[in-house]
Amino acid sequence: MPSAPHIEHHFTASETVRDVVIGMSDGLTVPFALAAGLSGAKVGTSVVVLAGLAEIAAGSIAMGLGGFLAARTDQEHYQSELQRETREAREIPEVEAAEVAHVFEGWGLTQQQIRPIVAAISSDEKRWVDFMMRFELGLEEPDPGRAVRSAATIGFSYVAGGLIPLAPYFFLDDLETGLVASVAVTLSALFVFGCIKARFTGIPWWRGGSQTTLIGGLAATAAFAIARLFR
Amino acid sequence: MPSAPHIEHHFTASETVRDVVIGMSDGLTVPFALAAGLSGAKVGTSVVVLAGLAEIAAGSIAMGLGGFLAARTDQEHYQSELQRETREAREIPEVEAAEVAHVFEGWGLTQQQIRPIVAAISSDEKRWVDFMMRFELGLEEPDPGRAVRSAATIGFSYVAGGLIPLAPYFFLDDLETGLVASVAVTLSALFVFGCIKARFTGIPWWRGGSQTTLIGGLAATAAFAIARLFR
């Protein structure tokens, strides 16, 4: 895509930032809620720690590998569509040329204006296929190194986030004190995380902060209520 | 985007299917791994069920509300960029016209060919802004009802997925039998789920099936090992 002098105003999160946000927001929320729920069921601090660590292991692997496969599937999907478009540009050029023309008709150009454009685009196979990929199918070429980076970033962020709600239970033997400390530490961490995340999504910081805090609080309350109900 | 007769070959998942996949793949994996991990730590069937239910409550709320906010943030981001582009088309039309021209230069058109195209596109403010949104910023208008639907679909899919690995523990008192049954039931469910999911991502069914089974198995093994280590 071409860039113009004022384009830096349109700030969007980089893929790494998005992966950190994906991993950390679930890492902060789910182990926190699980620990709170088990505390409500009065199972003993060691079980809370055990379940929390098992959850962090499970969640980080599930999300990390999930991210890996999603990125690799994107890559494969792009390649297979690229091959299809290249084949079609060779085998049914008149259909593909009509599709290019169709894109421009949608922008209110006349047939007379469209003809040289279609000729220019279809004069170069790479450019033609690139046009079809982007404007007919809306696909951008994915970065081939992304799958591994994405998996590691999501996984580590989940672990980092998940250890925050669990930390108080490591140091405090009393379950109730542990729960209170975990709630205080995690809701604060969720608020700070939400404020930082808001900078990347372009919403006001106080709304970003209160949204993540609210989600974490609701999830923990629900887990607490369910565990109380079924214990 | 314009559609052509052969476009139906390019099948991509609808947003609802993607939401079901998001919710169910984590719902099948994480409660499964947590239950396996706790079984390894020999905590008693009731604790496994309790922790599993608490995790399902926490995970479904965290993922459901997360999906809700992500969809709403997309919506707001689109609206704020739309306002910015509309303002810019009015206040600095020459800069915006140059950006339109720049897009077409990238496709190898001459200045002479570009001039009438830019004139045609910028003659209509709505069309002009629409062009900038799509081709400068790569943004499509999100469906306004999506946030609520997305939250509900992800949340329910997580619950549906999470109850599968937990079900054996409801009916079997013995922890070891419960674990064996849960592993058998969940790995089968993960395989079937992966095969169905593969239909939407375009990879071979046996690869889709083995991938999800592998992720679930790895997550459960890691949770089991961690819980053994720390019990």
Side-chain angles (χ1 to χ4, degrees):
Chain A
M1 286 274 87
S3 65
H6 78 282
I7 206 165
E8 69 267 27
H9 296 302
H10 301 287
F11 187 72
T12 47
S14 80
E15 291 184 328
T16 304
V17 169
R18 253 157 59 195
D19 287 341
V20 170
V21 166
I22 288 171
M24 191 160 280
S25 81
D26 274 27
L28 274 168
T29 306
V30 183
F32 166 54
L34 177 65
L38 290 176
S39 303
K42 300 202 195 305
V43 291
T45 311
S46 63
V47 174
V48 172
V49 169
L50 204 63
L53 290 174
E55 211 287 334
I56 291 174
S60 60
I61 289 178
M63 290 198 76
L65 285 185
F68 174 81
L69 290 180
R72 225 185 47 179
T73 302
D74 278 354
Q75 180 78 32
E76 288 169 359
H77 181 64
Y78 184 86
Q79 291 304 330
S80 86
E81 294 292 346
L82 187 70
Q83 277 169 18
R84 183 202 299 273
E85 288 297 341
T86 308
R87 203 174 55 235
E88 285 177 353
R90 282 174 202 166
E91 291 172 5
I92 43 165
E94 59 299 333
V95 175
E96 294 295 298
E99 282 176 17
V100 173
H102 202 75
V103 171
F104 289 98
E105 279 162 27
W107 298 334
L109 300 192
T110 65
Q111 290 303 325
Q112 223 175 349
Q113 290 166 332
I114 290 173
R115 226 168 293 128
I117 305 175
V118 173
I121 290 176
S122 59
S123 69
D124 179 287
E125 188 183 88
K126 209 196 148 299
R127 184 188 295 156
W128 193 2
V129 170
D130 188 60
F131 181 90
M132 298 308 290
M133 292 300 288
R134 198 167 281 174
F135 299 106
E136 190 205 14
L137 301 177
L139 293 174
E140 302 259 355
E141 184 166 12
D143 172 358
R146 174 150 163 68
V148 172
R149 259 185 294 119
S150 182
T153 310
I154 294 175
F156 280 115
S157 307
Y158 193 96
V159 173
L163 290 176
I164 292 172
L166 228 53
Y169 296 98
F170 291 136
F171 302 112
L172 298 165
D173 274 342
D174 181 52
L175 194 62
E176 233 168 272
T177 325
L179 175 61
V180 171
S182 176
V183 169
V185 167
T186 313
L187 291 185
S188 311
L190 278 165
F191 189 80
V192 172
F193 169 75
C195 293
I196 296 169
K197 185 179 143 187
R199 286 189 62 97
F200 297 104
T201 50
I203 60 172
W205 62 269
W206 53 268
R207 245 185 60 202
S210 31
Q211 279 176 351
T212 46
T213 313
L214 189 72
I215 293 182
L218 278 177
T221 308
F224 190 92
I226 292 265
R228 269 277 159 105
L229 208 67
F230 283 90
R231 81 178 156 129
Chain B
M1 288 275 90
S3 65
H6 77 282
I7 206 162
E8 70 267 24
H9 295 301
H10 302 286
F11 187 72
T12 46
S14 80
E15 291 184 328
T16 304
V17 170
R18 254 158 59 194
D19 286 342
V20 169
V21 167
I22 288 171
M24 191 160 281
S25 80
D26 274 28
L28 275 169
T29 306
V30 182
F32 166 53
L34 177 66
L38 290 175
S39 303
K42 301 200 193 307
V43 292
T45 311
S46 64
V47 175
V48 173
V49 170
L50 203 64
L53 291 174
E55 211 287 335
I56 292 174
S60 60
I61 289 177
M63 289 197 75
L65 285 185
F68 175 80
L69 290 181
R72 225 185 46 179
T73 302
D74 278 355
Q75 181 77 35
E76 287 169 358
H77 182 64
Y78 185 87
Q79 291 304 330
S80 86
E81 294 292 344
L82 187 69
Q83 276 170 18
R84 183 203 299 275
E85 289 296 342
T86 308
R87 203 174 54 234
E88 284 176 353
R90 281 174 204 167
E91 290 171 7
I92 44 166
E94 60 299 333
V95 175
E96 295 295 300
E99 283 177 15
V100 174
H102 202 74
V103 171
F104 289 98
E105 280 162 26
W107 298 334
L109 299 193
T110 64
Q111 291 302 326
Q112 225 176 346
Q113 289 165 335
I114 290 173
R115 224 167 295 130
I117 305 174
V118 173
I121 290 176
S122 59
S123 69
D124 180 289
E125 187 182 89
K126 205 192 152 303
R127 185 189 296 158
W128 193 2
V129 170
D130 189 59
F131 182 89
M132 298 307 290
M133 292 299 287
R134 198 166 283 176
F135 298 106
E136 191 204 15
L137 302 179
L139 294 174
E140 302 258 355
E141 184 165 11
D143 172 359
R146 172 147 164 70
V148 172
R149 257 185 294 120
S150 182
T153 311
I154 293 175
F156 279 115
S157 307
Y158 194 98
V159 173
L163 289 176
I164 292 172
L166 227 53
Y169 295 99
F170 290 136
F171 303 111
L172 298 165
D173 274 342
D174 180 52
L175 194 62
E176 235 167 89
T177 325
L179 175 61
V180 171
S182 175
V183 169
V185 167
T186 312
L187 292 185
S188 313
L190 278 166
F191 189 80
V192 172
F193 169 74
C195 294
I196 296 170
K197 185 180 143 186
R199 287 188 62 97
F200 296 106
T201 51
I203 59 172
W205 63 269
W206 52 270
R207 247 185 59 203
S210 29
Q211 279 177 352
T212 46
T213 313
L214 188 73
I215 293 184
L218 278 178
T221 308
F224 190 91
I226 291 264
R228 270 276 160 106
L229 207 67
F230 282 90
R231 83 181 153 121

